């Protein structure tokens, strides 16, 4: 059986103000993925795909991956992701496609990527929680990949917020973008796995 096509979505906050902040590490790594796969630049998609930024494989690409950046603020990511996935699956060749959600993962070492099923605990991540609530309510299974952004020194809500919403340093951005090689390997496994990504960690 050939690998499944994937809609690889990234979560983050829109506008240049939040570009390459730790909380938008999902957007940063999906942009790095597009460059690594030699995809065309991201462009705005249609209303059917929630107006998210999209990059599709060129005709000569061996990858059946569509890359899509959520246009929503992090805490309300679910509806746009669900709409984009529903309509993407209606496109020719995507009926058996799978959904992958890329997001930042606090408490994981900087640049480490980890796979979990979408129904696993959100671990306090509001964007993941929004996706889980909306997609789970529609009976949609998905796989999520967390990109480690390190650990905040403080534990207070304001300290954590300031940590996540600050711009990455050059070193931090390099580590997140450099995780693309590990991500490509994980994506191959997800595309080859059974419906919903069975076989991946549930932690």
């Amino acid at each position: 059986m050939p690998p499944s096509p994937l809609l690889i979505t990234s979560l983050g906050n829109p506008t240049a103000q939040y570009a390459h902040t730790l909380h938008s590490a999902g957007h940063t790594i999906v942009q790095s993925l597009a460059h690594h796969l030699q995809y065309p630049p991201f462009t705005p998609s249609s209303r059917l795909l929630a107006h998210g930024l999209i990059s599709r494989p060129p005709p000569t690409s061996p990858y059946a991956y569509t890359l899509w950046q959520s246009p929503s603020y992090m805490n309300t990511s679910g509806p746009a992701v669900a709409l984009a996935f529903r309509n993407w699956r209606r496109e020719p060749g995507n009926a058996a496609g799978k959904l992958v959600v890329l997001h930042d993962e606090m408490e994981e070492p900087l640049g480490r990527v980890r796979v979990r099923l979408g129904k696993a605990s959100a671990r306090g991540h509001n964007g993941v929680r929004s996706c889980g609530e909306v997609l789970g309510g529609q009976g949609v299974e998905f796989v999520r990949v967390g990109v480690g952004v390190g650990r905040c020194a403080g534990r207070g809500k304001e300290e954590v917020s300031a940590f996540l919403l600050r711009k990455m340093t050059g070193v931090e951005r390099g580590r997140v973008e450099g995780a693309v090689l590990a991500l490509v390997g994980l994506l191959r496994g997800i595309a080859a796995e059974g419906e919903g990504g069975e076989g991946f960690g549930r932690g």
Side-chain angles (χ1 to χ4, degrees), residues 6 37-40 55-67 88:
L6 303 179
L37 300 180
Q38 299 183 315
Y39 272 31
S55 181
R56 296 182 184 271
T60 56
S61 176
Y63 301 100
Y65 305 159
T66 301
L67 312 183
W88 173 81

Side-chain angles (χ1 to χ4, degrees), residues 20-23 149 161-169 172:
H20 303 301
T21 58
L22 290 171
H23 209 23
V149 296
S161 178
F163 172 77
L164 289 174
L165 295 180
R166 71 168 172 80
K167 296 281 189 178
M168 298 179 196
T169 66
E172 289 170 334

Side-chain angles (χ1 to χ4, degrees), residues 52-106:
L53 295 177
I54 194 168
S55 181
R56 296 182 184 271
T60 56
S61 176
Y63 301 100
Y65 305 159
T66 301
L67 312 183
W68 180 90
Q69 298 181 55
S70 170
S72 305
Y73 281 93
M74 180 66 82
N75 292 358
T76 57
S77 300
V81 172
L83 176 65
F85 182 59
R86 182 169 64 249
N87 286 314
W88 173 81
R89 257 194 160 182
R90 292 171 177 166
E91 296 176 359
N94 292 339
K98 301 177 190 173
L99 175 62
V100 179
V101 175
L102 305 178
H103 60 90
D104 61 298
E105 186 82 84
M106 205 169 72

Side-chain angles (χ1 to χ4, degrees), residues 11 21-27 29 74 101-118 120-129 143-152 160 163-164 168 176 201-203:
L11 306 185
T21 58
L22 290 171
H23 209 23
S24 293
H27 288 340
I29 197 169
M74 180 66 82
V101 175
L102 305 178
H103 60 90
D104 61 298
E105 186 82 84
M106 205 169 72
E107 306 296 341
E108 287 288 337
L110 183 66
R112 177 182 290 179
V113 290
R114 182 171 178 177
V115 182
R116 293 187 178 94
L117 295 181
S121 169
R123 298 178 178 236
H125 194 295
N126 291 327
V128 170
R129 180 180 294 114
V143 177
R144 67 187 217 237
V145 179
V147 184
V149 296
R151 183 175 187 177
C152 178
V160 171
F163 172 77
L164 289 174
M168 298 179 196
V176 170
R202 289 159 171 76

